[in-house]
């Protein structure tokens, strides 16, 4: 037993060096994170130790990832329990050790692992695992019960009110062929073995069965409405599609990606006064190739390929190859959406800023491309090729339109790019180390001098800091005066130039290649570096920003003042608000998005806190505070704080059904705001502890949440206001009841909306 304990601690000691992944924009990776979680679900068996590790006698290890955010590790005769989280960069996994069947173990250690998934193979910090069990449909949120009105011309339809839990077994996947019918049961997935990208569909949920029962004469035959999802190359995609058995309905035959999915039959037939259990449904589909005009035939790896000099569209998270360039391109995410809606007259057109990853010759590069030409970022330059962003769809129609991340697509064109000799101001251009170009109309010369120590955190490696690569560029003006610029890839680092002011400014848009840990000989030679630059000219000599502006600490929280917070809590609070006050529950906090908290006031520190953080709401920032009031308008990635709030409600009944919480996470990841509050109301609602109430006093819609707890009560007022959420939370003393808390928060929210 001693050896077992020491082995576990040794593993954590090594992994503890990898503290956190390189920081990145979480909005860029949210949906990709969810896909990684879907792939992880199931059981994996150890097949090879990390290189250099000493083998342990009779070592066996199995990892089982569950859809409740927990991972079980079966190691020798004991089982360890971890909380797991796919990091904002989806190539890393954070594990927190929370329990063990070995009484000699001491949990609560945390480590971050490098993660790779390739089909049925998993690599975790160098250890290789093979999938041994599949998570039969648990990869997506099951459809919840919904009320369906009876069809007047036929007996009442059957509403399927629950999705059963199905055990893991090899029958969850069904082999099929293009053009041939195949049958699926609930939560089964078909794989079209003769499709180049291993296309498959999953029977996700049975929504309604209104078919006319056997032996009954009906004016209408009725229908079965169901939901499916699809996957390609073992990657499950978020969209959920509804289908119907009505043959003339558009939803009877759908086009998904490059395939046509047809709903052929549903068995068994309905009978009078007898409901069909969800697991007893057998649904027959047929999948065929849809007409395809743009891409050429797919290569053996299943990726669509496109020619040079011809525009093509990439959907979100799609990877494609460009023929004759041996270049692959992935659309990674939406970094910014500020385009002026069609229904509004704006002073500025705004822009869509899209994230791309380019791969060629075992080198990678990351680029943010803009739809606004004045940005100088409409093109990416990589290894003698240019990638130009032509269009981003859909275009916003109205200010309150919420476009889901997964619905975006980008049209690009790839061209062979000769080395530049003359460039223009305000337009991006690329230089290699030692190269120079002439700045048109200025008779000035720009030279890429060198790259300093490149400490950027390599792709596929967990690092404590993001690192930096300083780039030195000179500009020699027509009068012979030389200006030296030192530009940093880490935007928080100081940028300098000599002299400190001048007529010209220089921007660094990208530095490639990006370090990659999984490619042999990943050290980058100086002559390989390519810097994408933009030169600006000012009307009068000006300095360049020394660093990226940092927002000052707030003076109020969305209008909530210190006086308001003290009135809500009935006690003194700190004079200044903190930007990241997090009210949370330790037993929860398993969301795919690591919550940071929002703007808030906390009670004065110093009192003894008897709260059990495993089950009760708790102020985590600072941890010594007993109470807090927070308020903030949430937009973009910040809206994912709603998952933290839902977790507080969920943990009031730790053994309750987690389906609504998982559905809420999916909606947040996809940017689907319209039914967020409806999903909130499906969380565990024990009237003794939890109370929900609709609020129509502010914004488009609102929701009041209350959770009674042994020490401090939790209250939240959530308001959806067009494309944002205004959130106000309070962790109040037990002496304050729900009625008083609700009145106080309503009054404070009223001030915000005034």
């Amino acid at each position: 037993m001693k050896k077992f304990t020491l082995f576990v601690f040794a593993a954590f000691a090594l992994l503890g060096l990898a503290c956190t992944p390189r920081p990145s924009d979480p909005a860029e990776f949210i949906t990709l994170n969810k896909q990684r979680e879907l792939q992880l679900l199931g059981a994996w068996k150890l097949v090879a130790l990390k290189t250099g590790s000493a083998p342990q006698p009779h070592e066996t290890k199995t990892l089982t990832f569950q859809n409740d955010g927990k991972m079980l590790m079966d190691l020798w005769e004991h089982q360890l329990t971890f909380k797991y989280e796919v990091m904002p960069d989806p190539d890393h996994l954070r594990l927190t050790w929370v329990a063990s069947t070995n009484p000699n173990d001491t949990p609560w250690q945390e480590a971050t692992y490098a993660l790779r998934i390739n089909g049925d193979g998993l690599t975790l910090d160098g250890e290789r695992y093979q999938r041994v069990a599949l998570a039969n449909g648990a990869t997506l949120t099951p459809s919840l019960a919904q009320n369906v009105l009876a069809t007047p011309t036929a007996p009442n339809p059957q509403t399927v009110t629950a999705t059963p839990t199905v055990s893991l077994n090899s029958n969850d996947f069904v082999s099929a062929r293009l053009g041939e019918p195949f049958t699926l049961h609930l939560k089964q997935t078909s794989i079209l073995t003769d499709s180049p990208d291993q296309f498959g569909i999953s029977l996700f949920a049975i929504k309604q069965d209104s078919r006319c029962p056997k032996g009954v004469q009906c004016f209408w035959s009725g229908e079965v409405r169901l939901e499916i999802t699809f996957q390609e190359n073992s990657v499950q995609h978020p969209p959920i599609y509804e289908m119907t058995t009505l043959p003339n309905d558009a939803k009877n035959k759908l086009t998904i990606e490059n395939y046509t999915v047809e709903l052929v039959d549903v068995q068994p037939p309905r009978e009078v006064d007898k409901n069909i259990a969800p697991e007893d449904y057998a649904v027959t589909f047929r999948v065929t190739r849809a007409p395809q005009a743009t891409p050429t035939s797919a290569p053996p790896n299943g990726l669509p390929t496109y020619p040079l000099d011809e525009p093509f569209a990439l959907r979100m998270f799609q990877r494609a190859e460009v023929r004759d360039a041996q270049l692959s391109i992935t659309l990674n995410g939406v970094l910014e959406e500020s385009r002026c809606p069609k229904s509004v007259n704006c002073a500025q057109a705004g822009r869509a800023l899209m994230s791309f990853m380019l791969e060629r010759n075992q080198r990678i590069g990351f680029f943010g491309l803009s739809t606004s030409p004045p940005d100088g970022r409409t093109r990416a330059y990589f290894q003698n090729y240019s990638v130009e962003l032509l269009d981003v769809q859909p275009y916003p129609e109205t200010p309150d339109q919420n476009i889901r991340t997964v619905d975006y697509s980008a049209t690009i064109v790839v061209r062979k790019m000769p080395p530049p000799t003359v460039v223009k101001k305000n337009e991006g251009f690329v230089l290699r180390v030692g190269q120079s170009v002439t700045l048109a109309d200025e008779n000035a010369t720009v030279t890429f001098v060198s790259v300093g120590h490149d400490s950027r955190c390599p792709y596929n490696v967990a690092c404590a800091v993001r690192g930096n690569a300083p780039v030195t560029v000179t500009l020699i003006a027509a009068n012979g005066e030389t200006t030296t610029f030192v530009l940093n890839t880490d935007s928080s680092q100081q940028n300098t130039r000599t002299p400190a002011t001048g007529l010209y400014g220089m921007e660094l848009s990208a530095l490639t290649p990006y370090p990659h840990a999984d490619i042999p000989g990943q050290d980058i030679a100086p002559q390989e570096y390519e810097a994408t630059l933009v030169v600006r000219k000012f009307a009068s000599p000006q300095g360049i920003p020394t660093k990226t502006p940092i927002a000052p600490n707030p003076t109020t929280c969305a209008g909530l003042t210190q006086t308001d917070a003290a009135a809500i809590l009935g006690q003194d609070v700190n004079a200044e608000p903190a930007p990241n006050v997090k009210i949370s529950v330790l037993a929860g906090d398993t969301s795919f998005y690591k919550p940071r908290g929002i703007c808030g006031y906390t009670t004065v520190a110093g009192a003894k806190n008897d709260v059990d953080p495993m089950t009760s709401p708790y102020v985590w920032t600072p941890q010594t505070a007993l109470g807090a009031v927070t308020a903030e308008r949430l937009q973009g990635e910040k809206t994912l704080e709603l998952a933290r709030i839902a977790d507080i409600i969920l943990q009031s009944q730790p053994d309750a059904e987690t389906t609504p919480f998982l559905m809420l996470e999916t909606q947040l990841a996809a940017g689907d705001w319209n039914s967020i509050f409806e999903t909130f109301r499906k969380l565990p609602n024990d009237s003794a502890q939890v109370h929900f109430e609709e609020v129509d006093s502010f914004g488009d819609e609102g929701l009041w949440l209350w959770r009674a707890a042994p020490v401090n009560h939790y209250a939240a007022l959530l308001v959806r206001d067009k494309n944002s959420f205004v959130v106000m939370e309070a962790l109040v003393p037990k002496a304050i009841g729900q009625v008083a808390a609700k009145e106080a928060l309503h009054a404070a929210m009223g001030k915000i909306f005034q």
Side-chain angles (χ1 to χ4, degrees):
M1 292 313 306
K2 183 176 181 181
K3 178 175 63 178
F4 166 78
T5 305
L6 290 175
F7 175 74
V8 173
F9 278 117
F12 269 102
L14 290 173
L15 293 169
L17 297 175
C19 303
T20 57
R22 60 185 182 278
S24 55
D25 184 354
E28 180 179 348
F29 294 104
I30 284 299
T31 307
L32 191 56
N33 284 9
K34 179 56 64 176
Q35 291 179 5
R36 288 288 194 274
E37 288 191 0
L38 302 180
Q39 292 174 279
L40 275 175
L41 294 179
W44 306 79
K45 185 175 182 179
L46 179 68
V47 294
L49 288 172
K50 184 177 181 179
T51 303
S53 299
Q56 301 295 318
H58 314 294
E59 176 167 2
T60 60
K61 186 192 297 186
T62 302
L63 309 180
T64 302
F65 291 88
Q66 303 177 160
N67 62 5
D68 60 356
K70 294 180 180 178
M71 184 200 81
L72 306 180
M73 177 189 292
D74 291 293
L75 186 61
W76 284 295
E77 69 270 34
H78 284 285
Q79 186 176 82
L80 287 68
T81 302
F82 299 82
K83 288 195 306 179
Y84 73 90
E85 174 194 6
V86 177
M87 301 299 291
D89 181 336
D91 296 310
H92 299 89
L93 186 75
R94 175 180 289 166
L95 293 179
T96 303
W97 190 12
V98 297
S100 174
T101 59
N102 183 0
N104 297 318
D105 285 341
T106 305
W108 303 115
Q109 300 195 43
E110 181 178 279
T112 301
Y113 297 73
L115 168 71
R116 293 198 69 181
I117 305 176
N118 184 12
D120 288 334
L122 167 69
T123 303
L124 204 56
D125 191 51
E127 292 187 341
R128 291 191 292 114
Y129 296 81
Q130 186 73 26
R131 191 193 296 271
V132 294
L134 297 163
N136 173 36
T139 54
L140 283 176
T141 310
S143 178
L144 298 180
Q146 64 179 39
N147 296 321
V148 184
L149 297 177
T151 306
T153 55
N156 289 344
Q158 174 186 342
T159 301
V160 180
T161 59
T163 300
T165 301
V166 187
S167 60
L168 305 177
N169 58 69
S170 59
N171 296 325
D172 298 333
F173 283 76
V174 175
S175 296
R177 296 184 63 82
L178 288 168
E180 298 179 2
F182 57 88
T183 300
L184 295 179
H185 291 276
L186 195 63
K187 301 306 176 186
Q188 282 189 327
T189 299
S190 68
I191 301 296
L192 280 302
T193 57
D194 55 344
S195 62
D197 45 11
Q198 296 295 286
F199 181 84
I201 62 171
S202 301
L203 180 54
F204 183 56
I206 306 292
K207 299 283 288 184
Q208 175 188 296
D209 188 350
S210 62
R211 292 174 297 170
C212 183
K214 291 192 303 182
V216 177
Q217 291 187 345
C218 305
F219 294 104
W220 182 53
S221 62
E223 63 173 331
V224 174
R225 287 193 292 119
L226 53 86
E227 291 178 332
I228 65 170
T229 62
F230 79 96
Q231 68 173 37
E232 293 173 306
N233 295 319
S234 300
V235 176
Q236 189 78 258
H237 293 273
I240 300 173
Y241 298 87
E242 183 175 290
M243 300 192 72
T244 176
T245 53
L246 295 176
N248 295 323
D249 194 293
K251 292 184 178 180
N252 178 252
K253 187 180 293 186
L254 302 177
T255 298
I256 303 176
E257 300 303 308
N258 301 319
Y259 301 90
T260 299
V261 180
E262 179 185 1
L263 176 52
V264 178
D265 184 47
V266 175
Q267 292 294 331
R270 281 189 69 197
E271 298 182 16
V272 178
D273 299 328
K274 183 179 180 181
N275 285 338
I276 304 171
E279 61 268 24
D280 291 338
Y281 279 93
V283 183
T284 301
F285 298 90
R286 182 186 293 111
V287 177
T288 56
R289 289 298 296 263
Q292 196 174 4
T294 306
T296 63
S297 58
N301 59 14
L303 297 179
T305 62
Y306 299 88
L308 284 168
D309 304 315
E310 292 187 14
F312 62 92
L314 284 177
R315 70 177 188 277
M316 188 56 62
F317 307 119
Q318 183 184 17
R319 182 168 175 252
E321 290 188 353
V322 178
R323 191 179 63 226
D324 301 328
Q326 297 181 332
L327 174 70
S328 70
I329 306 174
T330 304
L331 177 58
N332 273 345
V334 183
L335 302 178
E336 180 184 323
E337 172 60 281
S338 61
R339 291 176 293 177
C340 179
K342 292 181 180 179
S343 62
V344 179
N345 291 323
C346 304
Q348 295 181 338
R351 66 176 182 175
L353 187 63
M354 313 299 287
S355 173
F356 293 86
M357 183 173 77
L358 276 56
E359 302 173 75
R360 186 172 186 269
N361 294 333
Q362 293 192 316
R363 295 300 192 193
I364 62 174
F366 294 95
F367 299 87
L369 298 186
S370 169
T371 56
S372 175
D375 289 347
R377 299 180 66 178
T378 58
R379 291 184 179 90
Y381 301 97
F382 190 62
Q383 295 193 359
N384 296 322
Y385 290 91
S386 70
V387 179
E388 182 179 3
L389 178 62
L390 302 177
D391 186 39
V392 173
Q393 291 294 332
Y395 193 96
E397 298 285 342
T398 62
D400 57 352
Q401 181 182 2
N402 294 306
I403 303 174
R404 302 184 308 168
T405 301
V406 294
D407 291 337
Y408 277 93
S409 66
T411 300
I412 59 177
V413 62
V414 180
R415 299 184 177 95
K416 183 75 173 178
M417 184 204 70
T421 55
V422 178
V423 299
K424 298 180 180 180
K425 302 186 298 292
N426 304 316
E427 292 185 4
F429 62 93
V430 65
L431 287 177
R432 289 191 173 182
V433 173
Q435 284 186 335
S436 301
V437 293
T438 299
L439 192 61
D441 302 326
E442 297 293 323
N443 195 23
T445 301
V446 179
T447 302
F448 181 7
V449 178
S450 64
V451 177
H453 175 58
D454 189 347
S455 64
R456 292 176 295 174
C457 180
Y459 185 69
N460 262 3
V461 172
C463 302
V465 294
R466 75 179 73 185
N468 181 51
V471 171
T472 301
V473 181
T474 61
L475 187 150
I476 304 177
N479 61 4
E481 181 179 343
T482 299
T483 303
T484 300
F485 298 85
V486 179
L487 308 172
N488 295 281
T489 58
D490 182 355
S491 58
S492 67
Q493 296 288 317
Q494 181 175 342
N495 292 324
T496 60
R497 75 172 167 193
T498 305
T501 62
L503 287 175
Y504 297 98
M506 189 80 66
E507 299 173 7
L508 175 64
S509 298
L511 179 66
T512 62
Y514 193 91
H516 197 320
D518 292 340
I519 296 178
Q522 60 120 359
D523 291 340
I524 302 170
Q527 63 271 20
E528 288 188 85
Y529 282 108
E530 294 181 314
T532 303
L533 304 165
V534 182
V535 177
R536 311 285 187 186
K537 186 176 182 181
F538 307 116
S540 60
Q542 298 183 26
I544 61 174
T546 58
K547 61 178 66 178
T548 301
I550 300 175
N553 287 333
T555 56
T556 69
C557 294
L560 178 78
T561 66
Q562 177 196 17
T563 303
D564 297 328
I568 292 172
L569 296 177
Q571 52 187 285
D572 293 337
V573 298
N574 290 314
E576 299 296 331
N580 296 109
V581 176
K582 185 174 76 169
I583 304 174
S584 185
V585 178
L586 185 59
D589 211 2
T590 59
S591 172
F592 65 90
Y593 167 70
K594 191 69 174 176
R596 299 187 181 96
I598 61 178
C599 179
Y601 296 87
T602 58
T603 54
V604 178
K608 184 176 184 294
N609 197 334
D610 295 324
V611 174
D612 177 7
M614 284 297 297
T615 57
S616 296
Y618 192 86
V619 181
W620 288 94
T621 310
Q623 294 191 14
T624 53
L626 290 176
V629 181
T630 67
E632 191 168 322
R633 183 178 288 271
L634 308 182
Q635 292 178 302
E637 67 171 70
K638 266 289 192 177
T639 57
L640 297 165
E641 291 289 336
L642 293 172
R644 171 183 55 81
I645 296 173
D647 215 357
I648 294 173
I649 302 300
L650 178 68
Q651 295 303 322
S652 66
Q653 300 181 40
D655 297 329
E657 171 61 50
T658 60
T659 292
F661 179 73
L662 296 174
M663 173 175 279
L664 184 72
E665 286 191 321
T666 302
Q667 291 171 324
L668 290 171
D672 179 10
W673 312 137
N674 293 330
S675 56
I676 290 291
F677 288 168
E678 178 183 349
T679 306
F680 256 102
R681 288 190 289 271
K682 293 174 181 175
L683 291 167
N685 189 357
D686 183 350
S687 59
Q689 296 187 54
V690 176
H691 176 70
F692 299 151
E693 186 177 315
E694 293 184 14
V695 176
D696 57 8
S697 307
F698 317 104
D700 299 323
E701 60 175 331
L703 186 65
W704 166 258
L705 305 177
W706 174 263
R707 179 188 164 183
V711 178
N712 295 322
H713 300 316
Y714 175 78
L717 182 56
L718 315 180
V719 177
R720 185 170 70 87
D721 187 32
K722 296 181 179 179
N723 61 344
S724 65
F725 291 87
V726 181
V727 171
M728 186 177 295
E729 304 171 273
L731 195 61
V732 301
K734 190 174 182 179
I736 298 180
Q738 180 177 185
V739 174
K742 183 165 62 174
E743 290 178 354
L745 264 68
H746 271 68
M749 185 69 77
K751 293 182 180 180
I752 292 176
F753 273 87
Q754 286 176 358

